[in-house]
Amino acid sequence: MGVLSQVVLFPLAPVRGVVWIAERVRDMAEEEMCHPSVLRARLAALNEALESGAIGPEKFDREEDRLLDLLERSGGPGGSGGPGGSGGSGGRGGRAGVRTP
């Protein structure tokens, strides 16, 4: 059935190629967005937004927790980058560089 399926499915080859390319682009974008330097820059911008009053403390806390979780998973400071690492989410305590209003 190999030759027959290749002949029948041949018109779908461009579609499969586009899907493959789209998956590679998605993977690269996810990798780039989760890079530790990008996450640190987003944390800095978040701190600036809080200091300027553009966002409230509740939104700041939610976004900060989300970004710190991503940073821990990506292998940034305080995280091992692996699922069973010693970086755990329970050791945040006093967050460096975070000012409370």
Side-chain angles (χ1 to χ4, degrees):
M1 189 162 112
V3 174
L4 182 60
S5 65
Q6 284 182 350
V7 169
V8 172
L9 296 176
F10 182 72
L12 295 177
V15 173
R16 285 184 280 170
V18 169
V19 169
W20 182 84
I21 290 171
E23 289 173 350
R24 299 295 82 71
V25 169
R26 183 199 64 214
D27 292 345
M28 294 291 287
E30 286 177 357
E31 181 179 319
E32 198 170 296
M33 289 303 295
C34 292
H35 193 273
S37 63
V38 172
L39 292 172
R40 284 190 292 271
R42 289 171 66 188
L43 279 167
L46 189 63
N47 276 324
E48 289 176 15
L50 177 67
E51 289 174 1
S52 71
I55 62 171
E58 297 84 18
K59 183 172 182 174
F60 173 82
D61 287 338
R62 280 194 314 270
E63 287 298 310
E64 183 191 38
D65 287 341
R66 187 179 65 81
L67 290 171
L68 289 173
D69 286 342
L70 287 171
L71 188 60
E72 286 176 359
R73 280 189 255 143
S74 71
S80 67
S86 61
S89 61
R92 282 194 201 141
R95 299 177 188 141
V98 177
R99 298 183 191 138
T100 54

